[in-house]
Amino acid sequence: MKKSSTLTTTTSMPTSPTLSTQTLSASKISLTSSRCGSTAGSVCGSAGSGSGRSACQSPVRPGSGCVDALKAKREEIEIETVLEKAKFYTSVCLGTTAILSVFTFLFLIPFVVDPAISTIIADYDPVPVTCIVIDHIYAEGIKNCSWSSCREGCTSSLTKCHQLFVNYTRIPFSEWERNPRDLDTVNWDVSYTKFLINSEGCGYPPTTNCSVFARQYGFSHIGEPFPCYYSRAYPEVVIGRYSWENNLYHLILSLIIPNVLFAISIGVLSYWYCPCCEKACNKSSRVYAEKFPTKEEIVNCMKCNTEKSLSLNVF
């Protein structure tokens, strides 16, 4: 009786605080399943939709799933790295484009946008009328050049200037060429008014050359009829070059191109880096419960990995 009691007491008390052999083996199995279970589950998930149970019941070599998983993980990391680099360089290009678009638009405002709008407001008659130069003054010095019919550079100071004065009649120049009239008998609509090369009275080489302009209309050509354009809003304004199509074309290009590039660049950058835009654009229509796998999917994947199911049964 004493021996039996002694045996009972010894079996009831643990001999040492260390883990048992069964517990250690179970922990090893669980670690192995945690490393390789994701690979088996993905294989089962992809095969289960196409071939059913046959794919899940196929034998798997021990350790081969882990190697495949590592290779797949490395490939995913490399792809993510390439995508991150591409996103970074694209973001730099988009940011540079947005900044350059702003500066380009600010540069175009005084040189293209403002003159084009002024030309539209002046409302020039698209049909050229008949003009004659009656006076040509050439002056030098800032004090003597308060204005100029032609200026090379719209921001440069006037040190030399050609001042041309004209008379014009609203008779179309095409009609004047068919039926010339005596200049002394013509009833001029506006007399002795300033004549400008264009609506701004200035330009940049090579399209604007004031020496050629002066030789074309002044000096020995005084008194010869030529086509010109007058403003219907300001009748005293007369210019030598005008085209409604070109004016509208340059205005639209200068307004659309910089603003569209700026809007696209800022829109893409906001979508990538603005948390509010990303949440608003990536709203999921799925129900909360649909984001988790179903019971059948879990059971099918558990059948593929016997080691994982064994570790779960042990615990």
Side-chain angles (χ1 to χ4, degrees):
M1 296 295 291
K2 292 181 180 180
K3 289 182 180 180
S4 61
S5 62
T6 306
L7 289 172
T8 306
T9 55
T10 54
T11 53
S12 61
M13 296 295 292
T15 57
S16 64
T18 58
L19 295 173
S20 62
T21 307
Q22 185 179 5
T23 307
L24 289 173
S25 62
S27 62
K28 291 180 180 179
I29 293 172
S30 62
L31 288 172
T32 306
S33 63
S34 63
R35 292 177 182 176
C36 305
S38 60
T39 308
S42 62
V43 171
C44 176
S46 61
S49 60
S51 60
R53 285 180 72 184
S54 60
C56 294
Q57 292 177 355
S58 60
V60 180
R61 292 183 181 180
S64 62
C66 297
V67 175
D68 295 337
L70 289 175
K71 290 182 179 179
K73 192 66 177 177
R74 287 177 182 175
E75 291 178 358
E76 291 179 0
I77 292 174
E78 291 177 357
I79 292 173
E80 290 178 358
T81 304
V82 172
L83 291 176
E84 288 178 358
K85 288 182 179 180
K87 183 178 179 180
F88 171 75
Y89 289 116
T90 305
S91 302
V92 172
C93 293
L94 290 174
T96 306
T97 302
I99 295 172
L100 292 178
S101 299
V102 173
F103 283 103
T104 303
F105 182 69
L106 294 177
F107 175 79
L108 290 174
I109 287 176
F111 294 103
V112 179
V113 178
D114 185 60
I117 294 175
S118 301
T119 303
I120 294 173
I121 294 173
D123 189 19
Y124 290 97
D125 190 353
V127 179
V129 296
T130 306
C131 291
I132 60 168
V133 175
I134 59 174
D135 193 7
H136 178 196
I137 300 174
Y138 174 75
E140 293 183 358
I142 298 176
K143 293 182 179 180
N144 298 325
C145 294
S146 58
W147 71 279
S148 178
S149 296
C150 178
R151 183 171 59 175
E152 295 180 5
C154 297
T155 58
S156 61
S157 57
L158 289 173
T159 56
K160 298 179 181 180
C161 58
H162 295 273
Q163 299 176 351
L164 278 70
F165 296 89
V166 298
N167 295 345
Y168 77 86
T169 177
R170 290 187 175 91
I171 300 173
F173 185 71
S174 58
E175 182 181 342
W176 183 282
E177 287 183 324
R178 290 193 303 267
N179 185 17
R181 293 169 176 79
D182 188 5
L183 297 178
D184 296 332
T185 60
V186 173
N187 186 15
W188 301 104
D189 293 298
V190 177
S191 300
Y192 206 80
T193 186
K194 298 177 182 178
F195 179 64
L196 305 176
I197 185 172
N198 50 34
S199 60
E200 304 86 34
C202 61
Y204 295 90
T207 57
T208 301
N209 191 324
C210 294
S211 299
V212 175
F213 171 78
R215 287 195 298 268
Q216 181 180 357
Y217 296 102
F219 298 116
S220 60
H221 296 283
I222 294 177
E224 294 181 2
F226 64 90
C228 63
Y229 303 88
Y230 75 97
S231 171
R232 288 178 286 199
Y234 311 101
E236 68 279 0
V237 178
V238 185
I239 61 176
R241 300 176 185 175
Y242 174 72
S243 175
W244 168 259
E245 291 79 9
N246 291 337
N247 182 68
L248 189 62
Y249 175 75
H250 292 120
L251 178 62
I252 291 174
L253 288 182
S254 60
L255 289 176
I256 289 179
I257 292 178
N259 291 308
V260 168
L261 291 176
F262 177 79
I264 292 174
S265 302
I266 295 299
V268 174
L269 292 176
S270 300
Y271 177 75
W272 281 349
Y273 298 103
C274 181
C276 300
C277 298
E278 187 176 359
K279 290 179 181 178
C281 295
N282 294 332
K283 285 185 177 180
S284 177
S285 60
R286 298 178 60 190
V287 183
Y288 181 75
E290 294 179 357
K291 298 179 181 180
F292 298 94
T294 61
K295 186 177 180 180
E296 295 178 355
E297 293 176 353
I298 296 174
V299 172
N300 291 331
C301 292
M302 292 294 292
K303 289 179 181 179
C304 293
N305 191 359
T306 56
E307 294 181 353
K308 187 172 182 179
S309 61
L310 179 61
S311 65
L312 290 175
N313 291 330
V314 169
F315 285 106

